[in-house]
Amino acid sequence: MLSHKKGKSATDAVVRFLNSRVPGYSWVGIYMVEGEDLVLAAWSGPEATQHTRIPIGKGVCGYAAKTGRTEIVSDVSKDPRYLQCFISTKAEIVVPVFKGGKVIGEIDVDGDRVDAFSSLDGEFLEAVAGKLGPVC
Ligand code: SME
């Protein structure tokens, strides 16, 4: 079995990579499921978020964790589920991370322009999540 420490270094590496290498990925976080909540495990971006713990079912993040489906929000100002973190955020994508068929966490990416994310970003992040799940 892999240690928690190994999972932590994997999540740290993924957020750093996505934020620094993918154009338009302005802020990247990974939340892990803890009981009925999502808890921020790693993040990379210009500033910290106040949303370090989100109840499953709340916000775009909580919704994706509940349904196990990728959420692409083209314009956060038009989505009533959206929990605001950064004034600069215009779009968001949230991709669940699975292990053993269960949602164990998710990758959350904020973008600074409307329509920042396409279905290709969804496919890409689902592939990343697919690699991450087994090592968390
Ligand atoms: N916007 C998210 C909350 C997390 S922050 O974007 C970092 C949501 O609506 O769930």
Side-chain angles (χ1 to χ4, degrees):
M1 186 195 274
L2 293 164
S3 67
H4 174 71
K5 201 163 165 243
K6 176 131 188 200
K8 176 70 182 141
S9 63
T11 54
D12 280 347
V14 166
V15 294
R16 226 176 303 124
F17 169 78
L18 293 174
N19 179 235
S20 64
R21 296 297 194 87
V22 188
Y25 286 21
S26 310
W27 186 93
V28 182
I30 292 178
Y31 288 88
M32 299 304 291
V33 173
E34 273 185 35
E36 300 299 306
D37 293 333
L38 290 160
V39 176
L40 188 63
W43 65 275
S44 178
E47 48 180 323
T49 174
Q50 73 198 67
H51 295 294
T52 55
R53 183 176 282 268
I54 300 172
I56 291 173
K58 282 262 165 75
V60 181
C61 287
Y63 191 86
K66 193 174 170 179
T67 61
R69 284 201 299 270
T70 293
E71 284 295 321
I72 298 177
V73 178
S74 304
D75 183 348
V76 295
S77 73
K78 298 204 165 89
D79 194 319
R81 300 168 302 174
Y82 178 66
L83 297 171
Q84 190 184 66
C85 287
F86 314 112
I87 200 83
S88 53
T89 297
K90 299 284 193 296
E92 180 167 23
I93 181 167
V94 183
V95 174
V97 176
F98 291 90
K99 186 176 193 173
K102 279 176 58 182
V103 177
I104 59 156
E106 61 190 29
I107 304 171
D108 174 25
V109 184
D110 285 27
D112 291 347
R113 62 175 184 82
V114 168
D115 279 331
F117 308 114
S118 69
S119 59
L120 191 60
D121 295 284
E123 285 171 36
F124 167 63
L125 290 170
E126 283 164 12
V128 174
K131 295 282 185 197
L132 190 60
V135 299
C136 283

